[in-house]
Amino acid sequence: MRGRRAVAFALSGLLSLSAFAATPYQAAKAPAKGPVAAQKDRTKALLQFQKDLASVVALSTEAEPLLGAALLARPLVNPPQVLTYHALLERASRNADAGPRVAWAQLADCDAKAGACPNADAVASLVSQAPDNAAVWLLKLGMDVPQGNDKQAREDLAKAAVAKSYDDYLGASMKALAMSVSQLPPPPDTFDPLQGAGAAGVQMEIVFGLAATQPLPMFPATAQYCEGHKDDEGVVADCLKLAKVLEWGSSPLGRSLGLHLRETLASDTADQLSAKNARVNLVWQMQQFARLHMEGLGDRAKAQKLLSLARSGGTEMSVILGSLNAYGIKAEAPPGWEPAKLESAK
């Protein structure tokens, strides 16, 4: 029972940060206050704008614009066949420069109701295209653990531990979207009357909102697997190797998992404390980015800056840290600051 409680505690910490990390994107998608009918009209206008954007961007033959078009089209209801998520990603995948970013998006090209997610062909493609990416093996581990396939999960962990990097390609999705949304001006009926950023605010809302819907590995499954095998020295060693890969990876959620693994599995007390302090800094970074994002919805210049950073490429983490740097916000939390002390958006 004590082991189960430890797992539950570890996962609660990971999931709380997961929920917080999604805050800026969730804020972008949250319904504006006001009459329900007005909000429905705006939602309808936003979807029509996304359809118009996808139609224009889909005229391209290159992988990145087609990826952007697919992400724009994904929420559409009964789009024309040529504008379906599947059709656009299929076209993107035929390009020589498609790479694993397109295959990663194809993970969501599946029937969840039929239990066919993630897309098996996309998983196989990622294993072939990006064997040195820990995200691919954590994705597989998250599939194998629920099925009770312990032997395969152990192999997944071993491969993730020796991977060169972690990248879930959210940065690539943000760039594709940020490049796509500028192809047409947002019509006035897409503007939120309670937010003052105008067209830039709408574009930022679409970019960060849709990028956040991209697939992610099941981080709790990895945490649970490592915790459940903490008496196995080989597993612990691989989990700690994985932790280092994740700490330097593309995702704040991945970093959170890496720091959690180091804090709970490292034998050295100083190493545990270092990981704990680094997690505090990570939460600080996410809170400050959330504040900048909320401010951007009402500040045209700030929205344009965040869009510019998204267009620059890189990773989700580099966009977050670049945003903090652009506004003179330190990446380290102030002395004595605690995650529980949430700051309200100014």
Side-chain angles (χ1 to χ4, degrees):
M1 289 297 293
R2 186 173 66 178
R4 290 184 181 179
R5 286 197 295 270
V7 171
F9 178 79
L11 291 179
S12 68
L14 180 61
L15 292 174
S16 65
L17 182 55
S18 173
F20 180 78
T23 298
Y25 310 125
Q26 290 172 346
K29 296 185 287 184
K33 295 180 180 179
V36 174
Q39 178 57 29
K40 287 183 177 179
D41 288 344
R42 180 171 183 261
T43 299
K44 182 179 179 180
L46 282 168
L47 288 173
Q48 181 60 50
F49 178 52
Q50 287 177 212
K51 182 179 180 181
D52 294 341
L53 278 171
S55 299
V56 171
V57 179
L59 296 175
S60 174
T61 59
E62 298 177 358
E64 183 174 85
L66 289 171
L67 172 60
L71 296 173
L72 287 165
R74 186 179 173 193
L76 301 181
V77 179
N78 297 322
Q81 178 59 34
V82 293
L83 285 185
T84 61
Y85 189 67
H86 173 79
L88 290 166
L89 287 179
E90 276 293 306
R91 287 180 57 201
S93 68
R94 298 187 197 115
N95 283 268
D97 65 337
R101 59 183 174 172
V102 172
W104 191 272
Q106 288 178 309
L107 291 170
D109 183 18
C110 55
D111 186 350
K113 292 182 179 179
C117 291
N119 184 307
D121 290 338
V123 174
S125 180
L126 285 165
V127 169
S128 173
Q129 293 185 51
D132 286 329
N133 184 355
V136 174
W137 300 110
L138 294 190
L139 178 72
K140 287 192 84 279
L141 188 149
M143 297 166 63
D144 291 326
V145 167
Q147 296 176 1
N149 193 340
D150 193 77
K151 180 180 179 181
Q152 187 59 55
R154 180 67 184 92
E155 293 178 8
D156 297 334
L157 174 65
K159 291 177 180 178
V162 297
K164 293 181 180 179
S165 63
Y166 172 94
D167 189 358
D168 52 34
Y169 306 104
L170 196 147
S173 293
M174 279 198 291
K175 182 184 178 186
L177 283 163
M179 297 297 289
S180 298
V181 294
S182 62
Q183 299 305 304
L184 292 173
D189 55 356
T190 62
F191 294 4
D192 188 333
L194 299 181
Q195 297 167 345
V202 172
Q203 292 170 339
M204 186 180 72
E205 185 175 352
I206 291 173
V207 170
F208 288 98
L210 293 181
T213 66
Q214 285 296 80
L216 286 172
M218 291 177 62
F219 293 123
T222 303
Q224 191 171 25
Y225 184 86
C226 289
E227 173 65 21
H229 294 78
K230 62 182 180 181
D231 294 330
D232 185 322
E233 292 183 2
V235 170
V236 170
D238 278 350
C239 288
L240 289 172
K241 289 179 184 177
L242 171 63
K244 293 186 179 297
V245 176
L246 292 173
E247 286 183 48
W248 293 100
S250 70
S251 163
L253 294 182
R255 285 194 178 191
S256 174
L257 174 58
L259 292 168
H260 164 73
L261 293 176
R262 183 154 63 93
E263 183 180 351
T264 56
L265 298 178
S267 58
D268 182 68
T269 303
D271 204 14
Q272 295 173 7
L273 182 59
S274 170
K276 181 178 180 179
N277 291 336
R279 289 193 80 190
V280 170
N281 287 334
L282 180 60
V283 177
W284 161 262
Q285 293 159 13
M286 295 308 300
Q287 287 194 15
Q288 298 312 303
F289 181 71
R291 178 171 63 82
L292 290 175
H293 185 279
M294 290 298 294
E295 291 173 353
L297 293 174
D299 183 329
R300 181 178 289 103
K302 193 160 288 185
Q304 290 172 337
K305 181 61 178 179
L306 295 182
L307 283 168
S308 174
L309 288 167
R311 289 190 189 101
S312 67
T315 67
E316 179 186 11
M317 203 67 224
S318 69
V319 170
I320 292 169
L321 294 176
S323 300
L324 301 189
N325 182 65
Y327 290 96
I329 301 172
K330 293 183 178 180
E332 296 77 28
W337 184 86
E338 297 178 6
K341 298 177 181 178
L342 294 174
E343 296 183 358
S344 60
K346 297 180 180 179

